[in-house]
């Protein structure tokens, strides 16, 4: 089943959000995904630690082999040299747990262990951030490394395991300041000693923090830029929409006679198109309201005259006893009733004309056949006024247009009726229909007084009071030509009145239709 537009455009959970909030939410959501890259630094750190532990395992084996090959007197200098080169601390423990050699003896320390309580506040903040991120990503936290004063063999389970199992062992701990502390042990070939390598890998933590800080600055800058761009985008969309909405509300409430709807002429996007469409719609609505008000005023004015005459005649009937005078008053009543009936019918026709034309389904109509079918009725009407009528029949099939036949018949009937009214006794009305290129042109000429140029637009207005000389008042409603023009324009055609081409007195009505293809 096809869904309605309301269903297609409905918003579920975000229906109460403003447009600005939605734009910000979408952009910040995308940035939140980018912010997730900060947490993936944990895997980067894990890979570095794993690589450093593998390196420590390799180094402790190589150094153990080098110590085994060196002379006993050369072991201490070799231990110091290798410790300084690898930035580690190397110690040799005997099976009794006594340190027999240390790379820090009579040599500078290759790393230090810092007391967190003695570090500045920014280091505390950095550790808190580290702990928060580790908690979010669920990182495994190694056991803490707690330094002891004697640093005996019992403090190093990996060294004990290496001494007992004759193989290397590597262990990861966490230094007091939070950095990775790596230790590796390998047995010496004498089988009664073990080499212990320790390292405080502060450079790993410093590298991860540096990358996190860089990404943080990039993310912060991106967020600021995204928020500014979102606000700019919201301003260019939401602000004009709010202005248009306020203008539409003012139009709906009718608070002001002239409501200015912004047209935004500088904008060529959809907002500009919407603004201009709303402005044009409002202007059209205003014209329709004005036309409706004017039409209502004209209707009131036109109805008052026959009603006043009818009321006067009815009131007089009660006081008149003369039969002849009573017959005259009854004639007045009948005339006014007919006039009111004609007015009401034409007013109803005008009122529903626009709506019916917009819903009408146009079909091919042969104007030549249509006019020919109506000539008999017109000739009978013209004969009553001593007027002749002539129709120049077109070739078959050349005057076909798209339209509604009954409405087009009303157009020609109103114009011919108008021509009969203005034609003098013995006058001739000439009707012609012909195809000229891609147009079908219908002309109706009479031999009356013609229409002066200043009045050629006014005669198509509703309730226009111009009447032929000598015609009884109230015979026409003044809506015939207005109805004809409305129907013609509803068929995308044009109607105008001009002088006759032969120079004789009279009016020539010309209607131009688009020919059906």
């Amino acid at each position: 089943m096809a869904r309605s537009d309301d269903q297609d455009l409905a918003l579920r959970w975000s229906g109460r959000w403003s447009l600005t909030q939605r734009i910000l939410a979408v952009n910040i959501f995308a940035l939140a995904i980018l912010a997730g890259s900060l947490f993936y630094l944990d895997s980067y750190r894990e890979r570095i630690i794993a690589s450093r532990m593998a390196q420590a395992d390799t180094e402790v084996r190589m150094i153990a082999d080098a110590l085994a090959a060196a002379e006993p007197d050369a072991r201490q200098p070799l231990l110091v040299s290798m410790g300084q080169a690898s930035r580690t601390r190397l110690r040799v423990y005997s099976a009794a747990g006594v340190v027999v050699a240390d790379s820090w003896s009579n040599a500078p320390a290759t790393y230090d262990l810092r007391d967190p309580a003695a570090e500045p506040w920014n280091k505390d903040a950095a550790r808190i951030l580290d702990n928060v991120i580790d908690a979010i990503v669920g990182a495994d936290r190694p056991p803490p490394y707690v330094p002891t004063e004697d640093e005996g063999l019992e403090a190093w389970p990996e060294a004990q395991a290496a001494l007992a199992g004759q193989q290397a062992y590597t262990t990861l701990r966490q230094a007091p300041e939070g950095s990775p502390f790596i230790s590796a042990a390998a047995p010496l070939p004498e089988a009664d000693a073990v080499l212990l390598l320790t390292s405080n890998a502060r450079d790993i933590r410093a590298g991860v923090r540096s990358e996190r800080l860089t990404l943080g600055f990039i993310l912060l800058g991106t967020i600021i830029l995204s928020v500014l761009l979102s606000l700019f985008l919201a301003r260019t969309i939401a602000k004009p929409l709010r202005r248009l909405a306020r203008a539409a509300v003012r139009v709906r409430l009718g608070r002001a006679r002239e409501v200015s709807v912004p047209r935004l002429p500088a904008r060529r996007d959809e907002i500009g198109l919407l603004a201009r469409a709303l402005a044009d719609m409002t202007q059209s609505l205003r014209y329709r309201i004005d036309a409706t008000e004017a039409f209502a005023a004209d209707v009131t004015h036109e109805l008052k005259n026959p009603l006043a005459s009818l009321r006067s005649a009815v009131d007089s009937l009660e006081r008149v006893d003369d039969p002849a005078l009573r017959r005259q008053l009854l004639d007045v009543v009948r005339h006014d009733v007919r006039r009111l009936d004609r007015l009401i019918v034409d007013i109803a026709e005008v009122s529903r004309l626009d709506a019916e034309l917009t819903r009408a389904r146009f079909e091919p109509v042969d104007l030549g056949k249509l006019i020919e079918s109506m000539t008999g009725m017109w000739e009978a009407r013209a004969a009553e006024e001593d007027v002749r009528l002539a129709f120049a029949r077109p070739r078959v099939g050349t005057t076909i247009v798209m339209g509604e036949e009954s409405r087009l018949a009303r157009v020609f009937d109103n114009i011919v009726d108008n021509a009969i009214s203005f034609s003098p006794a013995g006058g001739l009305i000439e009707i012609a229909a012909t195809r000229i290129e891609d147009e079908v042109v219908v002309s109706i000429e009479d031999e009356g007084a013609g229409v002066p140029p200043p009045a050629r637009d006014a005669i198509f207005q509703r309730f226009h009071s111009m009447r032929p000389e000598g015609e009884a008042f109230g015979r026409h409603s003044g809506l015939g030509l207005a109805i004809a023009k409305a129907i013609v324009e509803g068929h995308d055609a044009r109607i105008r009145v001009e002088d006759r081409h032969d120079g004789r007195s009279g009016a020539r009505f010309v209607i131009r239709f688009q020919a059906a293809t």
Side-chain angles (χ1 to χ4, degrees):
M1 181 182 295
R3 298 190 302 173
S4 65
D5 290 343
D6 290 342
Q7 291 175 328
D8 290 338
L9 300 177
L11 297 174
R12 301 294 189 267
W13 54 271
S14 62
R16 295 182 178 274
W17 291 13
S18 68
L19 191 58
T20 301
Q21 291 172 332
R22 291 177 195 160
I23 293 174
L24 286 172
V26 169
N27 288 333
I28 292 177
F29 177 75
L31 290 175
I33 298 176
L34 176 62
S37 62
L38 293 174
F39 304 119
Y40 285 100
L41 286 175
D42 177 69
S43 61
Y44 165 72
R45 178 184 60 186
E46 294 296 332
R47 289 194 299 270
I48 295 178
I49 292 175
S51 175
R52 189 66 62 84
M53 291 181 67
Q55 178 183 341
D57 182 77
T58 302
E59 287 179 349
V60 76
R61 292 174 185 269
M62 293 177 61
I63 295 172
D65 291 340
L67 289 176
E71 296 294 331
D73 295 340
R75 287 185 175 182
Q76 178 63 27
L78 180 61
L79 207 64
V80 173
S81 175
M82 290 186 173
Q84 294 292 323
S86 61
R87 306 303 299 169
T88 61
R89 183 179 184 181
L90 301 172
R91 284 170 283 188
V92 178
Y93 285 90
S94 66
V98 179
V99 177
V100 297
D102 190 348
S103 63
W104 283 10
S105 296
N106 301 320
T110 53
Y111 63 82
D112 59 342
L113 296 173
R114 298 181 180 179
D115 182 8
E119 290 189 315
W121 67 269
N122 58 329
K123 297 296 182 180
D124 292 335
R127 277 191 296 273
I128 292 174
L129 181 60
D130 290 340
N131 295 333
V132 169
I133 293 178
D134 288 344
I136 292 175
V137 300
D140 295 332
R141 302 192 65 177
Y145 167 61
V146 181
T148 60
E149 293 183 1
D150 54 2
E151 292 286 324
L153 186 62
E154 68 278 0
W156 307 101
E158 62 272 26
Q160 298 176 21
L163 186 62
Q166 295 297 307
Q167 61 181 351
Y169 287 93
T170 306
T171 303
L172 174 66
R173 297 181 179 86
Q174 188 176 48
E177 68 268 32
S179 57
F181 188 84
I182 299 172
S183 60
L188 293 176
E190 294 92 324
D192 58 351
V194 64
L195 174 65
L196 177 66
L197 178 149
T198 58
S199 173
N200 187 15
R202 295 179 59 201
D203 60 314
I204 296 178
R205 185 185 64 173
V208 171
R209 286 181 176 177
S210 176
E211 292 297 326
R212 186 179 293 148
L213 182 63
T214 301
L215 283 176
F217 280 127
I218 294 174
L219 181 61
L220 179 62
T222 306
I223 289 175
I224 293 174
L225 180 61
S226 179
V227 169
L228 292 177
L229 291 177
S230 298
L231 292 176
F232 169 75
L233 183 61
R235 180 178 180 273
T236 59
I237 295 177
K239 185 176 180 179
L241 286 179
R242 282 196 296 269
R243 290 181 59 193
L244 293 174
R246 287 195 294 267
V249 170
R250 290 197 300 271
V251 172
R252 178 179 64 84
L253 296 178
R255 297 288 176 82
R257 183 66 184 87
E258 295 290 335
V259 178
S260 176
V261 178
R263 297 185 63 88
L264 306 180
R267 296 190 63 152
R268 294 292 181 262
D269 56 4
E270 289 79 359
I271 300 296
L273 293 175
L274 175 62
R276 288 184 286 278
L278 284 176
D280 293 339
M281 181 188 70
T282 303
Q283 189 70 19
S284 176
L285 179 61
R286 186 178 299 122
Y287 288 153
R288 286 178 177 271
I289 292 174
D290 291 343
T292 301
E293 292 176 352
F295 181 63
D298 292 340
V299 167
T300 302
H301 179 268
E302 291 295 323
L303 290 177
K304 279 184 176 180
N305 290 331
L307 284 174
S309 174
L310 185 61
R311 183 185 301 110
S312 176
V314 171
D315 292 342
S316 299
L317 279 173
E318 297 179 352
R319 298 188 299 269
V320 173
D321 297 327
D322 185 1
L325 186 55
R326 290 179 66 88
R327 283 194 299 271
Q328 291 180 3
L329 290 175
L330 287 173
D331 290 339
V332 171
V333 169
R334 295 188 188 97
H335 176 271
D336 288 337
V337 168
R338 286 195 298 270
R339 183 182 173 193
L340 282 172
D341 179 68
R342 185 165 49 250
L343 273 174
I344 291 171
V345 170
D346 287 345
I347 288 170
E349 175 77 8
V350 171
S351 300
R352 65 174 182 265
L353 191 59
D354 290 341
E356 291 183 353
L357 284 175
T358 57
R359 296 191 300 265
R361 295 183 61 183
F362 289 172
E363 298 177 350
V365 178
D366 190 332
L367 297 185
K369 289 184 178 180
L370 176 61
I371 295 174
E372 186 175 9
S373 67
M374 302 177 70
T375 53
M377 175 184 62
W378 292 336
E379 287 174 346
R381 193 185 307 166
E384 296 177 358
E385 304 292 335
D386 192 18
V387 176
R388 294 169 297 148
L389 188 142
F391 173 47
R393 293 170 178 80
R395 288 187 300 168
V396 177
T398 60
T399 56
I400 298 177
V401 301
M402 298 300 296
E404 188 177 8
E405 184 173 347
S406 61
R407 296 295 182 184
L408 294 174
R410 179 66 184 273
V411 171
F412 302 136
D413 190 56
N414 285 2
I415 297 176
V416 170
D417 185 65
N418 183 77
I420 293 174
S421 298
F422 281 86
S423 295
L428 175 65
I429 297 175
E430 300 178 64
I431 305 173
T434 184
R435 171 77 175 263
I436 302 177
E437 296 181 352
D438 60 346
E439 289 186 331
V440 174
V441 180
V442 178
S443 63
I444 301 173
E445 297 181 347
D446 61 53
E447 295 180 344
V451 182
R456 288 177 181 175
D457 291 331
I459 62 172
F460 294 106
Q461 296 177 2
R462 295 166 177 171
F463 302 111
H464 184 68
S465 60
M466 183 177 178
R467 294 185 298 274
E469 184 177 352
E471 181 184 272
F473 181 81
R475 178 178 173 183
H476 293 86
S477 65
L479 292 171
L481 293 181
I483 292 173
K485 182 180 180 182
I487 296 174
V488 167
E489 292 179 347
H491 285 74
D492 294 326
R494 307 183 307 276
I495 182 172
R496 63 189 179 93
V497 61
E498 57 189 31
D499 293 330
R500 293 172 59 102
H501 290 173
D502 55 11
R504 291 187 298 170
S505 173
R508 182 173 187 264
F509 286 82
V510 180
I511 310 172
R512 296 182 179 273
F513 297 91
Q514 187 70 29
T517 55

